[in-house]
Amino acid sequence: MLRIDQLKLPVGHDEGDLTKKLEKILKIDNVKNEQRRYSCRIIRRSLDARRKPELFYVYSVSVELDPKEEERILKRSRGRFISKYEPKVYHMPEPEGMNELKGRPVIAGTGPAGLFCAYILCQNGYAPILLERGEQVEDRIDSVNAFWKSGRLNPSSNVQFGEGGAGTFSDGKLNTLVNDKNGRNRFVLDTFVKFGAPEEIGFSAKPHLGTDNLTDIVRNMRMFITQYGGTFCFNTTLTDIAIQEGHLINVKAESVQKDGSIDEVVIDTNCLIAAIGHSARDTFGMFNTRGVSMSQKNFAVGLRIQHPQKMINELQYGRTDNDGLPAADYKLTNRTQKGRNVYTFCMCPGGYVVNASSEEGRLAVNGMSYSGRDSLNANSAVIVSVDKKDFGSEDVLAGLKFQRDLEEKAYRLGNGDVPVQKYGDYKDNALTAEPGDVIPQIKGRYRMANLRELFSEDINEAIIESIDKFGYTMEGFDRADAILAGVESRTSSPVRINRDDGFMSNIVGLYPCGEGAGYAGGITSAAIDGIKVAEAVMKHFRPYDESRNELS
Ligand SMILES: Cc1cc2nc3c(=O)[nH]c(=O)nc-3n(C[C@H](O)[C@H](O)[C@H](O)COP(=O)(O)OP(=O)(O)OC[C@H]3O[C@@H](n4cnc5c(N)ncnc54)[C@H](O)[C@@H]3O)c2cc1C
C-alpha cells in the first residue's frame, strides 16, 4: 500500500477533484486501464490557512494497487510525498492470565475509560459489572437540562456524573497527544464510528463529535456491552472496598432505587477498575482512608472567555464569509514574567459555557458545543498552572481542597448562578453593569459579579498579562467586552492513584484507570487508558467462569 501526502485543494473544491489530482500524480486511471485498478481511502484531511484568505484542504490518502505498479510509482516519485504505507491496526490480545477471578470484575465509572475497558473485557468473556453513580444517558440529559434551567442540582447526575462520563456534555474533541504505537488511537476512533459517529472523525485532523452525537454513541456502546455479558448498574455509587492482606476481596456500593430508597450492595470480587473521573472527590477520600497509595497532582485553574465566533473566523481565515468552513479554533500559550504557565484549554468553537457543577454550594464551569458548532460565540478556558505552593499543603488531597474553596467562592459570587464579567471590568476590578456586544452564550443561569475576588492577585495578574498578550497574537482577544465566567477548576485530576507496570495499585486487584486516576486527559486518552487496563486485567486474570465461582 502507498501513502500519498500533500494533496492540496482549495476549500470548496468538487468531490471529484481529489480523485483527479491523485490520478494525475500517480499517472493512473481507473476507467481506461483495467489492469491498473486501485482503491484509495482518505487517511487525513487538515485545513491550511497559512495563505489566508486563500484556504486549502490538505489530504493524505492510502492507495492500494498492483505491487509492481506501486514499485514503479515509488521509484518515479523518489519518495517525494509518496511512501510505503502500513496502517497501524490494533489487535485485541487474547486473555493469558492464570489468576482466578473471585467474582465478576467490577468497573466503577462509565466514562470513556470505563466504557472502553468494558468493551474489551466483555468481548473476552469477563462479564464486567459496571457501577455508575449517575443516571443512564437518556435520564441524565433531562437532569442536566433541568439544572441549567432551574439551578436545582442532582449531585449524582450532572455534567460530571452519569453514563458516558464528563465528556458527554462536551464539544467532544477527540484530539490527543498520546501517540500509541499499537494503533489504539485509530481503534478508539473506529469504535466511535462503529457506534454511530460520523466517518469523518476517522481522517479529520481535528475530529470532534459534539454532545448530540455523544449521547447516541454512549447508548449504542451500552447495548453492545450488555449483549456481550456486561451488566450496568445506574444510580449506584462505589462507596467502599474491603481488603485482606493487601488483596481486594469485595466492594460496597449504594444503589438509589426509583422510590428514593437506598440499597447497600456488597459485591464479592478481587478485581476493581476504578475509572471514576476527576470529580469523584468522595471516592478519592475513601481510597485515601483505605490506604490506597495516592499522590498530589498539579493541574490548572482559570476563567472561561467568550468572543464572537465571527471574529475568530475572520482572524483565522482572513475572510468574513466562512461558508462550508468549520467554526475556527485557536490555541494560545504564554509564560508570564513571574514564570507562570498560562494557556487556552478545551476551546469550543461555536459553543457554550456550561455550569458543570457536581456539588451543592460549589460552582464550576466548562465548555461544550453541539456537532454543528453554530452558537454565536467561541469560548475557551484561560488557565494558570497551579501546584502545592498554591495549595499551601503537602496533603495528598490539598489540590482537591483548593478546587473546592474556589468553587465555593464562585458559588457565593454568583449567588448560585454562574458569575460573569466583562474583561475590561475584570482588569479594572469593577462590577459589570451589563454585557456589551458579546452576548453571553451560557448553559445555566448567570449573573454579573466581580471575578477578581475568586483568585489570588498572583493568579489574576497572570490571567490579565496573558489575555493582553494574546491580544497581540489575535487582535481583539483582549477586547473589553469579551465575556468571562468562572470558575474553571476541573481541568484535570488533583490526585494520582499510583499504579505499577501491571496497572495495579498497592492493593492487589485494584486498577486505577483514566483521568480521575491521573493517567489521562481527554476523551481519547481516557479511552486508550481503559483499553490498556483491560489488557492488564486479561494478562493477570483468566476470564470469568461462573461455574467455578459457584463451586468456590
Ligand atoms: C463539560 C466538559 C467538556 C469536555 N470537553 C472535552 C472535549 O471536547 N474533548 C476531550 O477530549 N475531553 C473533554 N472533556 C474532558 C473529558 O470529558 C474527560 O477527560 C474524560 O471524560 C475522562 O474520562 P474518564 O472515563 O477517565 O472519566 P469520566 O468521563 O469523568 O467518567 C467517570 C465516571 O465515573 C462515575 N463515577 C465517579 N465516582 C463513582 C463512584 N464512586 N461509583 C460509581 N461511578 C462513579 C462518574 O459518574 C462518571 O460517569 C470535557 C469535560 C467536561 C466536563
Side-chain angles (χ1 to χ4, degrees):
M1 202 186 286
L2 295 179
R3 175 184 174 125
I4 321 313
D5 292 309
Q6 290 300 318
L7 295 164
K8 209 168 167 175
L9 288 165
V11 164
H13 67 82
D14 294 341
E15 210 161 301
D17 290 348
L18 183 60
T19 311
K20 277 199 213 111
K21 184 150 190 136
L22 180 68
E23 292 186 350
K24 193 156 165 256
I25 289 171
L26 300 181
K27 295 190 177 33
I28 52 174
D29 175 332
N30 242 356
V31 182
K32 285 206 212 91
N33 313 306
E34 270 305 312
Q35 74 281 10
R36 296 168 73 185
R37 286 209 168 289
Y38 69 93
S39 65
C40 83
R41 186 171 169 217
I42 300 174
I43 44 182
R44 187 178 165 78
R45 183 188 69 188
S46 58
L47 187 65
D48 180 353
R50 287 169 298 170
R51 287 181 19 213
K52 63 192 170 193
E54 270 191 279
L55 304 175
F56 300 88
Y57 280 123
V58 182
Y59 293 89
S60 295
V61 300
S62 64
V63 178
E64 208 150 4
L65 306 113
D66 168 78
K68 279 206 213 77
E69 191 67 33
E70 285 185 10
E71 281 316 313
R72 192 177 64 77
I73 291 169
L74 263 178
K75 215 150 142 239
R76 196 184 59 224
S77 74
R78 297 199 199 91
R80 196 171 141 71
F81 301 138
I82 301 181
S83 53
K84 274 236 172 259
Y85 178 59
E86 196 75 42
K88 270 188 261 172
V89 179
Y90 175 69
H91 298 289
M92 204 186 293
E94 299 284 324
E96 56 182 272
M98 297 316 292
N99 298 285
E100 191 172 335
L101 274 170
K102 300 223 170 59
R104 295 165 64 182
V106 174
I107 301 176
T110 62
L115 281 179
F116 274 82
C117 184
Y119 179 60
I120 302 289
L121 289 179
C122 74
Q123 294 177 73
N124 290 283
Y126 284 78
I129 297 173
L130 293 99
L131 306 180
E132 173 48 62
R133 68 192 307 158
E135 295 161 308
Q136 65 182 62
V137 72
E138 297 88 338
D139 304 330
R140 185 185 175 196
I141 295 172
D142 298 341
S143 297
V144 169
N145 286 331
F147 169 55
W148 284 338
K149 204 147 168 261
S150 68
R152 239 189 352 273
L153 175 72
N154 175 342
S156 298
S157 207
N158 46 59
V159 170
Q160 307 291 346
F161 297 153
E163 185 183 20
T168 307
F169 297 88
S170 84
D171 182 29
K173 286 177 286 300
L174 299 175
N175 294 78
T176 176
L177 298 174
V178 178
N179 184 7
D180 188 272
K181 294 190 181 40
N182 301 302
R184 295 185 188 91
N185 298 54
R186 162 117 338 252
F187 178 75
V188 169
L189 296 177
D190 291 348
T191 304
F192 280 135
V193 171
K194 173 179 172 182
F195 290 114
E199 295 269 343
E200 192 177 319
I201 66 163
F203 59 76
S204 167
K206 295 182 178 170
H208 86 278
L209 290 169
T211 290
D212 34 353
N213 285 323
L214 271 160
T215 43
D216 296 340
I217 294 165
V218 164
R219 190 184 32 245
N220 296 340
M221 279 190 90
R222 180 213 311 154
M223 297 213 267
F224 180 96
I225 293 166
T226 308
Q227 207 185 322
Y228 277 75
T231 304
F232 284 78
C233 309
F234 294 110
N235 306 308
T236 305
T237 305
L238 171 76
T239 52
D240 206 351
I241 56 173
I243 304 162
Q244 210 167 59
E245 291 158 11
H247 286 64
L248 180 80
I249 55 168
N250 71 41
V251 301
K252 288 190 181 67
E254 282 178 0
S255 184
V256 182
Q257 303 310 303
K258 285 221 164 26
D259 62 4
S261 62
I262 298 178
D263 288 357
E264 296 263 330
V265 190
V266 177
I267 306 171
D268 290 331
T269 183
N270 55 351
C271 179
L272 168 67
I273 292 103
I276 53 175
H278 57 36
S279 294
R281 296 163 170 175
D282 51 352
T283 321
F284 294 142
M286 179 269 283
F287 283 152
N288 198 33
T289 313
R290 289 286 173 235
V292 176
S293 165
M294 299 161 69
S295 39
Q296 233 187 49
K297 191 174 97 24
N298 298 347
F299 55 99
V301 295
L303 300 169
R304 220 155 245 272
I305 190 164
Q306 295 184 60
H307 301 94
Q309 182 62 50
K310 198 164 174 299
M311 176 190 117
I312 304 296
N313 292 347
E314 283 171 17
L315 284 169
Q316 301 297 62
Y317 296 149
R319 49 166 89 174
T320 48
D321 71 318
N322 68 329
D323 298 350
L325 284 166
D329 62 5
Y330 59 77
K331 190 160 186 53
L332 300 159
T333 63
N334 180 43
R335 185 160 176 82
T336 66
Q337 284 158 14
K338 287 190 181 162
R340 287 255 194 199
N341 290 323
V342 181
Y343 51 100
T344 58
F345 172 75
C346 191
M347 194 264 166
C348 296
Y352 300 85
V353 171
V354 296
N355 188 331
S357 307
S358 63
E359 292 181 340
E360 297 287 3
R362 298 186 179 113
L363 194 144
V365 297
N366 208 303
M368 71 164 263
S369 309
Y370 294 105
S371 53
R373 288 178 159 178
D374 46 12
S375 97
L376 283 177
N377 292 349
N379 74 66
S380 72
V382 177
I383 54 176
V384 184
S385 304
V386 289
D387 57 27
K388 65 169 171 274
K389 287 195 298 306
D390 301 289
F391 310 152
S393 154
E394 302 274 348
D395 181 84
V396 72
L397 298 179
L400 192 157
K401 182 174 179 318
F402 181 77
Q403 284 176 331
R404 277 185 159 157
D405 293 348
L406 285 174
E407 293 173 16
E408 275 159 28
K409 272 193 208 164
Y411 188 90
R412 281 198 304 275
L413 274 178
N415 199 15
D417 298 341
V418 175
V420 164
Q421 187 177 28
K422 284 195 287 191
Y423 177 56
D425 296 324
Y426 173 68
K427 270 179 88 171
D428 301 342
N429 203 352
L431 202 58
T432 291
E434 59 188 5
D437 293 343
V438 183
I439 302 142
Q441 302 289 298
I442 300 181
K443 295 276 182 190
R445 299 162 1 151
Y446 64 90
R447 70 178 63 208
M448 299 303 157
N450 185 357
L451 294 166
R452 200 65 184 256
E453 296 169 27
L454 261 179
F455 300 114
S456 64
E457 264 316 291
D458 191 49
I459 291 180
N460 283 324
E461 281 164 17
I463 293 174
I464 292 169
E465 182 187 323
S466 303
I467 292 180
D468 286 353
K469 192 124 183 237
F470 296 154
Y472 288 106
T473 317
M474 292 180 71
E475 197 185 335
F477 195 94
D478 56 342
R479 57 192 283 173
D481 62 351
I483 290 287
L484 297 176
V487 61
E488 183 94 12
S489 53
R490 319 264 179 112
T491 53
S492 78
S493 185
V495 295
R496 173 161 290 124
I497 308 175
N498 303 321
R499 68 186 187 190
D500 59 19
D501 298 347
F503 293 76
M504 229 186 246
S505 72
N506 60 321
I507 309 299
V508 177
L510 173 55
Y511 292 85
C513 180
E515 179 162 48
Y519 299 99
I523 296 167
T524 302
S525 69
I528 291 172
D529 199 57
I531 296 168
K532 287 181 179 171
V533 169
E535 294 166 3
V537 169
M538 289 158 54
K539 246 205 186 98
H540 186 81
F541 291 106
R542 60 167 154 245
Y544 175 67
D545 180 343
E546 194 150 21
S547 59
R548 284 176 79 84
N549 269 272
E550 268 152 16
L551 289 175
S552 59

